[in-house]
Amino acid sequence: MDRTTGEPAPFVIVVQGPPQVGKSLLIKSLIKHYTKHNLPEVRGPITIVSGKQRRLQFVECPNDINGMIDCAKFADLALLLIDGSYGFEMETFEFLNILQNHGFPRVMGVLTHLDKFKDVKKLKKTKQRLKHRFWTEIYDGAKLFYLSGLIHGKYTKREVHNLARFISVMKFPPLSWRVSHPYILVDRLEDVTPPEKVHMNSKCDRNVTLYGYLRGCNLKKGAKAHIAGVGDYPLSGITALADPCPLPSAAKKKGLRDKEKLFYAPMSGLGDLLYDKDAVYININDHFVQYSKDDGTSAEGLQKATQRDVGVDLVKSLQKTRYSVDEKLEKSFITLFGKKPISPSEVPIGSVDAHDVADKEIPLEPVEKYQSEIVDEDDESDEDSDTEGEDDLESSDGEKKTIKKPSSKSIDESSEEETFYASEQHSPAQSNFKEQIDVHDGRVRRRAVFENEMVTDDKDSGDEDDSDSSDDDNTENGDDEYASSHSDSSADDEEDNEDEMGNVSKWKESLSERTAARRKINLMQLVYGKPESKSSDEMKEISDEGSEDDEFFKPKGEGNKISQKGIHENDVDIDDCSKFLSNVSLKDWSSDDMVASIRDRFVTGDWSKASLRNQLSKGTDGDEDDEAFGDFEDLETGQKYESHGTDEVGGSRKDNDLAAEERKLKKLALHEGNDGNDETKVSRGQTNASGFYDKLKEEMELRKQVNIAELNELDEVTRVEIEGYRTGSYLRLEFRDVPFEMVENFDPCHPILVGGLALGEENVGYMQVRLKRHRWHKKVLKTRDPIIVSIGWRRYQTVPIYAIEDHNGRHRMLKYTPEHMHCLAMFWGPLAPPHTGVVAIQNLSSNQASFRITATATVMEFNHAARIVKKIKLVGYACKIFKKTAFIEEMFTSNLEIARFQGAAIRTVSGIRGQVKKAAKEEIGNKSKKKGGATREGIARCTFEDKIKKGDIVFLRAWTQVEVPQFYNPLTTALQPRNETWQGMKTVSELRWENNLPVPVNKDSLYKPIERKQRKFNPLVIPKSLQAALPFASKPKDIPFRKRSLLENRRAVVMEPKERKVHALVQHLQLIRSNKMKKQKIKDDVKRKARAVELAKEEQISKKRQREERRGRYIEQEKQNKKIRRKTES
Amino acid sequence: MGKIQYMRLKGSQNLRLRLLLSTLSTTPIIIEDIRAEATWPGLRPYEVSFLRLLEKISDDCRVEINETGTSLKYKPGIVMGGRHLVHDCGTTRSIGYFLEPLILLGLFAKKPLTIRLKGITNDSKDPCVDTFRSTTLPMLKQFGVPSEGLELKIESRGVPPLGGGEVVLSVPIIQDSLKAITWIDEGMVKRIRGHTFSTKVSVQFENIMIHAARGIFNSFLPDVHIFTDHKAGQQAGNSPGYGISLVAETTSGCYISADTSVSYAQGKEEGELEEEKQELSPPEDVGIKIANILLAEIEQGGVVDSTHQGLLFLLCALCPQDVSKVRVGKLSPYGIGVLRHIRDFLGVKFVIKPDPSTETVILKCVGCGLKNLSRKIS
């Protein structure tokens, strides 16, 4: 959500492109177009006023990748310069990729060098080609601008004018990272280290001040910031300065006058005026400087000085600085309030010194001191008038003598003092304290600042300060006593009361103002304590209220509360309890008047009164305050009432008042038909219908208006305290103890980015990002190879571990990033919130041709612990095997480890699964393995589903935690000469390359052709006995071939005669049978043949007959047909 | 990767607040001189218990306590949240003490938090669990905390000295950040609700309390319902006691509460001596007293009661960088302490303006823009 209010900071236009493409020339042309000034060279950001509502800041993007990354982070619009005659270069695409990952600001391409084309057709084609290529990278229709060529070494006026048009109508959408972080593009850097320190040690840490417009969101005091390329530093001081390049006043005229065409470029050495917190620097060219002649006769000068013009004196004195500053410092004394120059040579320098010293040693102090002094002065004058008034009063009333007396006394004393100091004036070497008195001639009271220093003096001069001379201790202890002792304050009360009674218009104003101012911070002071210096007044004021204003607006018991609070501050060991018990001074609510008092807080009470109560309280300090404090807040109420009134009643009026312009824009955006009063609920209801997005937008706008309304009520100081410095203000940031290299190697061409850090972003931890290798990077990335990442404002080198998430949520380590897929990367570094874009680079050097962006990523989450695992296989060997149990050795190193893995599943190579049981006991078989008396540890008893073999290798698959290295190295590119390449941690391969080391090879890991011997198996032998017992079906039947036939077959068979007879008979019978069969067969053949002939004959006959039949039938049919035809014809 | 910058603090005051803010703002702190001068120096058991609770719900938080317990070094981790957590709060302080910071931490955790807390559910020192349920949880909804998943279940009750109560707290995480609010309309009280409970005593105690309290409210409005919750057996915890918690609901959705409970004192060392002297106040008095306190709170005005001021300020300060505006009655000391600590840890200052017409205070602040950073994006 965009929360910026007021006028926006100048939009940053980054001009980027490869070298020699015409970047500086483009900026120069644009500057010339806007301001009619010729810029000699482009160094650092150049701010110009481009229109009535718009300022621009041009930055030239340096050519190294660090500068490109930084520029991408603050660019509102990037002008990508492309050499048309050459085509796209890698820088453009690199820059585009960086832009995309750090929120995509507006981008416009500009083609230059188009005059190198002679052929018009070719030019046209090239333009077309480049345009389409450009579109694929951004979006279809992205603006690509053509600058046709140079005329007198400048781009043509018309084209520059057109380009300026495009820039001036461009809208800049808020980017989520930037609207949630304050950032400053530094356009000026000053080294404010005390010169002596630098003189003593030129390499001491420096204090620097950086200047620039605040962008993004509001910046609070005490925030931390990151200076890109330097590191994290706390902001030791912020001051809002006057805008060096303000928008023209909103007069009703068209266009810009020449006078208003301001531009501001301190690093380019342009613009003659420089504004600082406490000084304005005027640049005068050397040849314009002419020194007036020094008189030399100092004594005469001294004499004359008193008569002459003071300014002339000052200048003269400046001219004759003979001594160095610290020499003078030694001589001179500090004068804070010099009425007149005591000696013309001393005074101004002395005062300057005082400034310097104060400034450098305690830079925050002086402002407050001065302020307090100023306040003091005011007070004094007030008091003066008070006393006067009082005197008046008293003279008229003629009552309270107790008070009258001291006042008269003080007057007396003061007159005494006057004479005293008047006499002392003659001796010049006196402490300034007296001078101060001298200045405020008539005053007698209050010297809060000097009291502490001059206690003794005070004592001497008596209690001029206090009304009661009896309170001696009062002055001694100064302020604190004052507050606590009640008698004193009561005395003061009386005074005050008196003041109030006597309504003399003369002092009323100042008093009322004062009280008004005080009243506002009162409760805040109660809670937050007060600013250090002016304690006395405030404390008194508080105690005053405790007694005096009670009946007006403090609830009963408030006084008690204050005292309680007082106790509180001291009591550090109070019980931690949110319940507030002590206030229970219980009232009896049964009595009627008590009931009546809160009757209207209930729905049964008077609704109108209740609503009145709410209304009144909304219009808070409107009328009520008036009643309560008499006529104090005349001035204030007017304003306040206005703002409040509009708050509830006339919403539309407020709109008009506050941000008419803004609302108009918004309405345009929302396409709202209704007229102006969209604060009311009805119209909101209408817009609800138009969609979620519109509703969201509407809500945001409403929120913003509320914010503006609420914050505008506050006065400047409180507002800054509450919301910080607003965006668009020009700030001076002070950093202490910055390495001297930053100043030494400061190059205005490299813009410095100061980015504010949100809560928790300065912490370091593990970050998990979703990373994808860039498709143009040639190699995949290796785990533990250092990469340089740019996250948020930072750039640092870190060592990532890549991982991927398995289906069961496990983060498994990857050795290399996948080719075309996202993976997770875990690394250590300063944390960035989720959704932040990341760009990873491996090589910073700008002399390589390849694409430098290696990967892009988004932050997913951060953790304090990395949970990445990798696979591990524990291998063991069986050392003793029982039935299904085996002792496994070399898998674990200790019994403790075994205990850790009890129940883990294991497997052998042959596939037998098992489980780890327990460490093997000594007595069961571990004895034999004793080495020198001690039992070997780490032998585990495991069981398997089958008996394993001795040679089977057992392994256990497990996951082991991978440590992510706790390493990050911020890129300190701003601390070294810019042309040098920053050198960080090197990758292993780089180191090998440098040291000429070979890649270590594990022979076991090499792939070799697998040679497997043909295995010979022994034949299966079934024991005889078994074979015999087998049924025939199971007996082996594959009888092997024999050369010699079996004995059975070989031996001769001799038959018995009877047998022979039988045999012969059988043979005969067989012969007979076979003959018979033969004959029968022949007979059958003959029969079959005859039959076939007969069949054929019959067939022929039947065919013939059928044919005849058919013929007859057809003839018949024909006849009939003819008849029919004839019939029909006839 | 330099040395950790610790924020140095002194004294035992607002220890849980400091730890809470330290965790939310990820600022490591060192607290010294914790009751260094006291007879019983060092951290109290409930504070140690709270530290243990922090360790339980967060990841990589480091706590170092010196031997005497007078100094504490705390480096916060990331609040993880998670389910099925159990914490024994002990019997020195009631669960209310732990609930308040826990609910804020739960909002900014990585995963939604569900935790079972054991100990004392009701006592007179801390807001009781009934009040928490009826007042605090609706208050969170004002800041855009999703209402599903935000609940407190009272499983059993326990009162001092022996406790034995159990509650289950579940807190959702916020997706991005809270929502800044303008909450100055306190409205009118439209109904009064309440809960009484009694453990190991007769239910009659409750009826007497209700009767007494109703007697007070009768003159204001008729819509008063006070529910009884008599526990016996397992659910009644280990000690006898009874108590009441009243809530006034206004037309603009504010809840103003008051509660107390009566039982025997916690401390044994002094309890031994004073047991005879210490008279437990009768139920009738308790009813009247709490009703009166509630009326006093109503009279004070403001959108929350004095007990919830601290939480309200914390929520406002944790909002995005928008202006929040709230109205409270007079600032309670605890509220002031919270305001100071918010300034120290989060850098958020409130504009505090008294509203004389209603005798209330209006506070404005721009939130610190805390986002739920630990949340994982998918």
Side-chain angles (χ1 to χ4, degrees), chain A residues 337-350:
Chain A
F337 288 86
K339 192 190 176 188
K340 42 191 153 183
I342 297 172
S343 66
S345 63
E346 293 267 305
V347 171
I349 294 155

Side-chain angles (χ1 to χ4, degrees), chain A residues 337-503:
Chain A
F337 288 86
K339 192 190 176 188
K340 42 191 153 183
I342 297 172
S343 66
S345 63
E346 293 267 305
V347 171
I349 294 155
S351 64
V352 164
D353 282 356
H355 273 270
D356 273 352
V357 168
D359 216 314
K360 262 134 216 182
E361 285 176 4
I362 13 165
L364 281 178
E365 203 81 336
V367 186
E368 282 164 25
K369 208 186 260 174
Y370 298 146
Q371 276 172 353
S372 67
E373 275 165 13
I374 289 159
V375 168
D376 209 58
E377 261 187 293
D378 285 354
D379 274 7
E380 282 156 15
S381 57
D382 286 346
E383 292 299 332
D384 282 0
S385 54
D386 276 359
T387 44
E388 277 171 28
E390 209 172 85
D391 288 353
D392 285 358
L393 248 184
E394 277 154 15
S395 56
S396 60
D397 288 356
E399 281 176 14
K400 314 224 165 184
K401 279 166 192 170
T402 46
I403 296 165
K404 195 178 173 182
K405 206 167 81 181
S407 66
S408 62
K409 179 188 165 194
S410 64
I411 286 167
D412 287 353
E413 274 194 337
S414 72
S415 61
E416 272 178 25
E417 275 176 326
E418 241 181 321
T419 50
F420 177 57
Y421 293 134
S423 65
E424 277 190 332
Q425 240 180 32
H426 297 293
S427 54
Q430 284 292 331
S431 68
N432 46 14
F433 164 66
K434 275 122 201 173
E435 275 193 328
Q436 191 250 335
I437 294 298
D438 195 35
V439 173
H440 308 287
D441 236 2
R443 59 145 269 129
V444 226
R445 310 180 62 189
R446 304 229 179 203
R447 281 172 295 156
V449 180
F450 295 93
E451 242 170 18
N452 294 333
E453 301 165 16
M454 301 284 173
V455 176
T456 48
D457 260 351
D458 256 336
K459 264 190 179 169
D460 290 341
S461 54
D463 320 327
E464 338 134 284
D465 218 314
D466 298 298
S467 44
D468 291 319
S469 54
S470 58
D471 283 345
D472 270 330
D473 52 343
N474 234 344
T475 42
E476 270 183 19
N477 292 347
D479 314 334
D480 303 324
E481 271 303 309
Y482 207 6
S484 56
S485 71
H486 207 71
S487 63
D488 209 21
S489 58
S490 66
D492 238 280
D493 280 357
E494 279 179 305
E495 252 183 288
D496 272 37
N497 283 340
E498 237 179 358
D499 288 357
E500 272 172 53
M501 284 196 299
N503 239 337

Side-chain angles (χ1 to χ4, degrees), chain A residues 903-1068:
Chain A
I906 51 176
R907 203 163 70 90
T908 65
V909 174
S910 58
I912 302 170
R913 292 166 296 179
Q915 204 180 26
V916 178
K917 288 297 185 189
K918 264 186 174 176
K921 275 182 195 152
E922 203 179 337
E923 57 267 27
I924 328 171
N926 199 12
K927 226 160 213 170
S928 58
K929 297 280 174 187
K930 269 191 176 177
K931 266 186 189 171
T935 45
R936 258 173 66 193
E937 282 224 317
I939 295 181
R941 180 166 57 88
C942 305
T943 57
F944 294 89
E945 56 185 4
D946 203 349
K947 191 175 180 181
I948 62 166
K949 286 264 170 133
K950 184 83 190 217
D952 220 353
I953 298 169
V954 182
F955 57 88
L956 187 155
R957 292 188 299 177
W959 297 94
T960 183
Q961 187 92 23
V962 180
E963 284 287 307
V964 178
Q966 291 202 347
F967 166 84
Y968 89 92
N969 187 8
L971 249 67
T972 49
T973 47
L975 303 183
Q976 62 181 27
R978 296 289 183 158
N979 45 14
E980 261 176 35
T981 308
W982 184 83
Q983 186 59 60
M985 188 187 195
K986 289 172 188 162
T987 63
V988 176
S989 65
E990 272 171 357
L991 282 173
R992 283 202 191 117
W993 174 256
E994 277 173 17
N995 297 321
N996 217 358
L997 289 170
V999 180
V1001 179
N1002 183 4
K1003 269 191 184 160
D1004 289 344
S1005 302
L1006 293 177
Y1007 285 97
K1008 286 166 275 193
I1010 302 164
E1011 288 166 6
R1012 291 214 170 92
K1013 268 188 209 159
Q1014 195 65 41
R1015 294 204 65 174
K1016 277 181 183 168
F1017 295 99
N1018 291 332
L1020 178 71
V1021 178
I1022 303 172
K1024 286 265 165 61
S1025 57
L1026 182 62
Q1027 235 179 85
L1030 281 174
F1032 176 75
S1034 306
K1035 269 179 186 151
K1037 292 173 195 80
D1038 47 343
I1039 302 155
F1041 170 77
R1042 289 165 188 271
K1043 268 182 186 167
R1044 285 176 66 196
S1045 52
L1046 281 171
L1047 180 69
E1048 228 171 293
N1049 305 336
R1050 274 184 285 144
R1051 70 183 165 203
V1053 178
V1054 180
M1055 284 189 228
E1056 294 287 312
K1058 197 190 173 189
E1059 272 182 343
R1060 208 180 296 154
K1061 261 184 178 171
V1062 171
H1063 191 248
L1065 186 63
V1066 169
Q1067 272 190 336
H1068 287 159

Side-chain angles (χ1 to χ4, degrees), chain A residues 6-12 55-57 76 213-216 727-729:
Chain A
E7 53 186 46
F11 298 114
V12 182
R55 290 172 296 176
L56 302 173
Q57 201 162 24
D76 287 314
Y213 288 98
L214 179 66
R215 296 185 173 86
T727 52
S729 50

Side-chain angles (χ1 to χ4, degrees), chain B residues 23 53-61 74 76-81:
Chain B
T23 313
L53 179 62
L54 281 177
E55 276 182 330
K56 208 164 274 173
I57 61 164
S58 62
D59 188 10
D60 194 37
C61 92
Y74 175 70
I78 291 174
V79 184
M80 296 300 282

Side-chain angles (χ1 to χ4, degrees), chain A residues 486-524:
Chain A
H486 207 71
S487 63
D488 209 21
S489 58
S490 66
D492 238 280
D493 280 357
E494 279 179 305
E495 252 183 288
D496 272 37
N497 283 340
E498 237 179 358
D499 288 357
E500 272 172 53
M501 284 196 299
N503 239 337
V504 188
S505 59
K506 198 171 149 195
W507 48 268
K508 193 196 95 180
E509 265 182 30
S510 61
L511 182 66
S512 62
E513 268 175 23
R514 192 154 52 100
T515 2
R518 266 178 200 161
R519 169 105 25 231
K520 213 181 239 168
I521 39 175
N522 251 334
L523 259 176
M524 281 183 76

Side-chain angles (χ1 to χ4, degrees), chain A residues 702-732:
Chain A
L702 223 88
R703 186 76 246 173
K704 198 169 162 184
Q705 293 303 328
V706 170
N707 287 353
I708 294 171
E710 293 291 348
L711 291 170
N712 280 353
E713 281 173 19
L714 309 172
D715 60 302
E716 189 63 25
V717 181
T718 8
R719 199 181 57 69
V720 166
E721 233 168 47
I722 297 300
E723 67 155 359
Y725 292 96
R726 279 193 174 169
T727 52
S729 50
Y730 193 74
L731 296 187
R732 170 189 192 270

Side-chain angles (χ1 to χ4, degrees), chain A residues 1 3 179-180 217 220 520 523-524 526-529 552-558 561 564-565 568-569 571-584 586-587 589 595 597-604 606-607 610 613-614 616-618 620-621 624-625 640 644 647 703 706-707 710-711 713-714 718 721-723 759-760 763-764 768 770 805 811 828 833-835 858-865 867 966-968, chain B residues 1 10-17 25-26 33 35-36 46 59-60 76-78 93 97 100 110 123-127 180-182 184-190 192 219-222 251 259-260 289 292-293 295-296 298-301 306-307 320-323 325 327 330-334 336 339-340 343 346-362 364 366-368 370-371 373 375-378:
Chain A
M1 166 177 177
R3 292 194 176 81
V179 292
S180 53
C217 66
K220 273 186 184 168
K520 213 181 239 168
L523 259 176
M524 281 183 76
L526 255 177
V527 172
Y528 291 126
F552 282 109
F553 77 100
K554 289 265 164 67
K556 272 171 192 159
E558 190 84 341
K561 198 203 76 189
Q564 268 171 15
K565 188 226 100 197
H568 239 252
E569 272 197 344
D571 189 7
V572 284
D573 286 344
I574 190 146
D575 212 1
D576 186 4
C577 179
S578 64
K579 217 163 159 181
F580 186 32
L581 297 165
S582 47
N583 69 331
V584 203
L586 277 180
K587 302 160 189 170
W589 291 96
V595 169
S597 69
I598 59 165
R599 180 85 252 169
D600 297 334
R601 294 297 318 280
F602 292 84
V603 277
T604 49
D606 192 349
W607 281 64
R613 170 186 158 95
N614 273 333
L616 276 179
S617 45
K618 267 187 196 166
T620 39
D621 20 24
E624 285 302 310
D625 272 14
K640 277 212 180 124
H644 275 295
D647 211 6
R703 186 76 246 173
V706 170
N707 287 353
E710 293 291 348
L711 291 170
E713 281 173 19
L714 309 172
T718 8
E721 233 168 47
I722 297 300
E723 67 155 359
L759 222 57
N763 296 346
V764 284
Q768 194 183 70
R770 190 171 50 216
E805 191 171 338
H811 291 167
W828 172 262
H835 290 296
T858 334
V859 178
M860 304 251 299
E861 62 170 333
F862 44 73
N863 260 328
H864 278 306
R867 287 189 191 82
Q966 291 202 347
F967 166 84
Y968 89 92
Chain B
M1 236 196 333
K10 274 194 175 182
S12 71
Q13 54 154 341
N14 292 332
L15 183 88
R16 72 182 160 146
L17 185 64
S25 65
T26 61
D33 295 348
R35 304 196 184 86
Y46 55 85
D59 188 10
D60 194 37
I78 291 174
R93 226 29 210 276
Y97 175 83
E100 217 172 289
K110 201 177 250 296
D123 74 347
S124 50
K125 208 169 178 188
D126 289 307
I181 52 163
T182 305
I184 47 172
D185 183 15
E186 50 201 347
M188 284 169 286
V189 177
K190 62 177 177 184
I192 290 175
S219 51
F220 293 101
L221 81 169
T251 49
D259 62 37
T260 192
K289 186 179 145 207
N292 282 338
I293 290 177
L295 289 176
I298 292 169
E299 187 212 19
Q300 236 186 55
S306 57
T307 312
Q321 285 162 338
D322 291 318
V323 179
K325 194 171 175 186
R327 177 203 296 274
K330 67 186 177 198
L331 292 171
S332 67
Y334 180 72
I336 292 173
L339 288 175
R340 288 187 188 145
R343 178 199 51 186
L346 301 173
V348 172
K349 250 184 157 181
F350 283 71
V351 177
I352 306 161
K353 215 190 284 171
D355 182 3
S357 65
T358 54
E359 297 185 350
T360 52
V361 182
I362 287 181
K364 271 194 281 188
V366 175
C368 72
L370 185 72
K371 282 179 180 165
L373 295 175
R375 192 174 63 92
K376 185 184 179 180
I377 64 164
S378 51

